[in-house]
Amino acid sequence: MKIFLDTASLKEIREAAALGLVDGVTTNPSLLAKESGEPEEILVEICKTVDGPISAEVVATDAEGMVREGHHWASLHKNIVVKCPCTAEGLKATRVLSSEGHRVNMTLVFSPSQALLTAKAGASFVSPFVGRLDDISTPGMELVADILQIYRNYSFRCEVLAASLRHPLHVVEAAKAGAHIGTMPMSVFQSLLKHPLTDIGLKRFLDDWEKAKKELGAKAPR
Ligand code: E4P
């Protein structure tokens, strides 16, 4: 599964990218609004930091406006993927943008039927929002599994980008379901690695090694 970071923070992206495990980045208007600086400059810097798909979302609500904004985002860097909301206008814009060769990430997807239309419109990525469904007592991961099944049935090439992942178990479940990509905030990315037994085990190995070295050192001839 490819790992995307769901943030517009360059500090976080640089830190995570240093591990060599970040395959792409998703941003949205809320995430960009949290950062200081011009969105265009931030997006270009992100593209320079991570060589993979970088989602930039349109804010127009009509298809024409979305296409215009999509052209603007796409002109910034070859890695930019235009993010459109899953509305009737968003589907129209996706058709236009994808037929021109631009990659589209359809966002705010909450049902299998929306995902079916997304693939038919030619989107390259579909973003089911797992956490936001869980928030309203609807099992978000079932949506990921349903979309994967539908896309497999018809060999759609649209990649399933599990989004709104809020904790490490969401990532594991998305991977078990076979999602192509999981996008997550930095805190979730960091929690994927953490295990107390790893820390305890490493400390014990190092302590034993130091102890043995001291004992050997004491016995060793001068
Ligand atoms: C994905 O592209 C979205 O930016 C994101 O995953 C939304 O997550 P949230 O529901 O935690 O805000």
Side-chain angles (χ1 to χ4, degrees):
M1 184 172 73
K2 282 174 265 187
I3 291 179
F4 284 13
L5 224 54
D6 194 31
T7 179
S9 159
L10 275 164
K11 184 176 168 289
E12 289 181 349
I13 292 166
R14 287 186 182 125
E15 192 185 329
L19 277 182
L21 298 171
V22 178
D23 302 299
V25 174
T26 50
T27 69
N28 63 39
S30 310
L31 293 171
L32 277 164
K34 279 201 245 168
E35 304 303 314
S36 55
E38 286 301 312
E40 280 84 354
E41 284 170 22
I42 296 172
L43 285 163
V44 169
E45 273 314 303
I46 296 175
C47 289
K48 286 185 193 162
T49 310
V50 174
D51 190 16
I54 311 297
S55 289
E57 188 163 340
V58 298
V59 290
T61 51
D62 63 302
E64 207 181 307
M66 289 181 196
V67 170
R68 200 170 42 245
E69 287 178 16
H71 287 161
H72 174 63
W73 288 141
S75 72
L76 296 178
H77 197 280
K78 65 173 175 51
N79 288 356
I80 295 276
V81 171
V82 182
K83 218 178 186 192
C84 291
C86 194
T87 60
E89 295 299 300
L91 286 169
K92 281 190 224 165
T94 298
R95 259 238 161 281
V96 175
L97 289 164
S98 60
S99 65
E100 291 171 346
H102 298 296
R103 288 177 299 170
V104 174
N105 172 4
M106 185 64 85
T107 191
L108 293 167
V109 170
F110 293 97
S111 73
S113 54
Q114 288 180 318
L116 175 61
L117 299 179
T118 295
K120 287 181 70 70
S124 300
F125 305 93
V126 62
S127 289
F129 274 38
V130 174
R132 291 193 195 186
L133 279 170
D134 286 358
D135 288 344
I136 56 159
S137 306
T138 303
M141 208 50 74
E142 285 181 10
L143 173 60
V144 173
D146 285 347
I147 298 173
L148 283 162
Q149 185 185 334
I150 292 168
Y151 284 9
R152 262 195 308 268
N153 288 349
Y154 299 100
S155 304
F156 283 127
R157 289 171 64 188
C158 184
E159 289 187 74
V160 179
L161 195 170
S164 187
L165 302 179
R166 304 271 178 74
H167 50 72
L169 261 188
H170 268 161
V171 180
V172 172
E173 285 163 7
K176 282 165 80 175
H180 303 93
I181 306 159
T183 190
M184 64 207 76
M186 183 66 169
S187 56
V188 175
F189 177 68
Q190 286 168 327
S191 67
L192 295 181
L193 174 65
K194 273 290 175 207
H195 200 292
L197 289 179
T198 304
D199 299 337
I200 293 167
L202 180 61
K203 185 174 178 325
R204 193 177 300 162
F205 286 151
L206 296 179
D207 287 350
D208 288 348
W209 187 252
E210 278 309 310
K211 208 172 125 205
K213 259 186 14 189
K214 268 190 203 133
E215 282 170 10
L216 272 177
K219 283 182 211 149
R222 301 203 170 213

